[in-house]
Amino acid sequence: MKRSRFFSLIAMAVGLSVLAGTVSAGDVNVYSYRKPKLIDPMFAVFTQKTGIKVNSVYAKKGMLERLQQEGSNSPADLVFTVDIGRLKDIQNAGLTQAVQSDALARDIPAQFREPNGHWFGLTSRARIIVSSKDRVGASDITSYEDLTNSRWKGRICTRSGKHPYMVALTASMIVHHGSANAKAWLSGLKANLARKPQGNDRAQVKAIKEGVCDVAIINHYYMSKMLKDPKQVPWANAVRVIFPNQKDLRPLYHRGAHMNISGVALTKHAPNREGAIALMEFLASAEGQGMYAQKNGEYPVTPGIAWNDLQKSWGPFKQDDLALADIADNRAAAIRMADEVGYNK
Ligand code: FE
């Protein structure tokens, strides 16, 4: 009763989209930064298999604050979000608990989970380079490092250097190249920008279509999203997809494309710990990951689970195997670096 009332109060207070029907003690309650259409179909399959009902509440932001305010009264068992930055923020705020699960350790590669089990990646995304099919040669750019070459001066577009997607990429550069070299890279990239960083990833592709720039950095799944939107199809078709850092023989240059995750964490005060872990294990299974990845055009975190047609058309690529936990540890430095080089100015 308390949980049920609490949940609807939260929903009203934050203007969240809710939860149909009633909430009862055996249910698993999810706070999600991910849209219901991405996650609800998997929950339906889980419920079918286990009889455990899953209630999800969606919000664009504010979940962390909400969890903090609710403290031990929180009805939430699991938090779903994208990007290592947001998972790490929830962990740093002391809002998660460690999960020891043989199934999760077996199904999710170590690089994509927190060493003590505070968060787990369920799908992955490559940060790719896209270039104009008309104005850039097919092999003109092969690495993130290439982006600082003076031939690209005034020809690159990116979103804000402080957006989590860019921050994680910069953090990976810090880990691979050291702080001084990473800063030189970010500064070199900044020097080549066609315009002040603005807009989301898709806006960069649009800018290539419109001739504002010739090269951009985006998350790979935006290609499939654009190809599903008639207005955006011409944007997607104007660019070539480049998985960076594949075959270059220079040391460090063939480490693979930078990867990030969408993931899940068990909340510190999860009322239904057992049910929540069962749901996590289902989502980490081949069936769960396959469904989840397909919905958003992401990659499953585990090799061997089926890819969609677009991914198959791009073919296999090398992924940077840097641990997301290491990237997370360098996020603060990456954000400082964006300020220091005046990236968004
Ligand atoms: Fe995204």
Side-chain angles (χ1 to χ4, degrees):
M1 190 60 203
K2 188 187 86 176
R3 282 184 96 195
S4 163
R5 197 176 51 113
F6 213 97
F7 229 67
S8 41
L9 282 177
I10 290 158
M12 284 187 296
V14 204
L16 304 169
S17 70
V18 189
L19 293 187
T22 50
V23 175
S24 61
D27 298 355
V28 173
N29 294 325
V30 168
Y31 280 8
S32 176
Y33 283 104
R34 306 219 79 186
K35 295 198 175 102
K37 68 173 183 197
L38 289 180
I39 53 175
D40 288 351
M42 306 178 304
F43 296 163
V45 174
F46 173 74
T47 301
Q48 225 169 41
K49 284 179 186 285
T50 60
I52 301 172
K53 193 177 152 208
V54 182
N55 309 298
S56 70
V57 172
Y58 165 71
K60 269 193 159 164
K61 52 184 164 186
M63 291 296 194
L64 190 151
E65 294 74 13
R66 181 56 48 180
L67 279 168
Q68 263 165 338
Q69 282 162 20
E70 290 167 0
S72 58
N73 285 321
S74 179
D77 297 298
L78 295 173
V79 182
F80 280 69
T81 188
V82 301
D83 197 87
I84 182 57
R86 299 197 180 104
L87 286 164
K88 186 71 185 178
D89 285 346
I90 296 167
Q91 183 195 354
N92 285 348
L95 298 169
T96 59
Q97 60 172 300
V99 176
Q100 260 76 50
S101 152
D102 291 344
L104 292 175
R106 178 196 64 218
D107 290 340
I108 302 175
Q111 78 177 101
F112 294 130
R113 52 185 158 84
E114 201 277 332
N116 296 311
H118 280 274
W119 43 259
F120 295 85
L122 296 170
T123 62
S124 68
R125 54 269 302 281
R127 194 118 184 101
I128 59 171
I129 297 172
V130 290
S131 65
S132 164
K133 279 180 186 164
D134 296 338
R135 302 183 297 276
V136 179
S139 51
D140 286 359
I141 300 179
T142 61
S143 66
Y144 301 111
E145 288 81 353
D146 285 347
L147 297 172
T148 63
N149 189 305
S150 58
R151 74 184 288 191
W152 305 117
K153 195 160 186 63
R155 298 176 68 187
I156 302 177
C157 282
T158 77
R159 71 194 310 163
S160 162
K162 293 201 207 174
H163 184 276
Y165 299 169
M166 291 301 290
V167 169
L169 175 60
T170 304
S172 82
M173 296 299 281
I174 294 174
V175 179
H176 286 302
H177 289 290
S179 200
N181 289 334
K183 191 171 174 182
W185 173 78
L186 192 62
S187 168
L189 173 58
K190 161 69 186 168
N192 284 343
L193 294 183
R195 62 177 183 183
K196 195 170 146 165
Q198 57 194 271
N200 56 21
D201 280 359
R202 271 185 267 200
Q204 318 309 319
V205 182
K206 177 171 185 260
I208 292 179
K209 166 69 185 164
E210 290 170 347
V212 175
C213 40
D214 297 336
V215 177
I217 309 174
I218 68 167
N219 281 357
H220 82 274
Y221 53 83
Y222 289 114
M223 289 302 292
S224 49
K225 286 178 186 268
M226 289 184 289
L227 288 168
K228 283 181 195 144
D229 179 336
K231 204 184 90 200
Q232 299 176 1
V233 168
W235 309 352
N237 285 337
V239 300
R240 175 183 289 116
V241 163
I242 301 162
F243 287 91
N245 297 73
Q246 298 295 300
K247 290 189 181 113
D248 197 310
L249 292 177
R250 290 170 288 180
L252 276 182
Y253 280 53
H254 51 271
R255 63 183 181 273
H258 165 66
M259 304 300 291
N260 208 319
I261 51 174
S262 90
V264 62
L266 182 66
T267 63
K268 175 153 187 160
H269 301 290
N272 184 4
R273 190 172 192 276
E274 206 178 309
I277 293 174
L279 177 55
M280 292 168 98
E281 290 174 345
F282 168 71
L283 294 172
S285 70
E287 185 182 9
Q289 275 191 53
M291 279 184 80
Y292 198 4
Q294 290 279 348
K295 279 278 164 206
N296 199 40
E298 293 175 274
Y299 288 99
V301 287
T302 307
I305 298 175
W307 286 3
N308 69 26
D309 289 342
L310 184 62
Q311 291 164 342
K312 282 182 203 154
S313 76
W314 292 335
F317 65 100
K318 186 171 180 181
Q319 305 186 356
D320 186 351
D321 62 5
L322 191 60
L324 269 288
D326 290 342
I327 291 175
D329 288 342
N330 286 277
R331 285 184 70 249
I335 293 168
R336 268 199 310 278
M337 206 170 265
D339 275 331
E340 285 162 7
V341 306
Y343 194 88
N344 291 343
K345 293 249 164 69

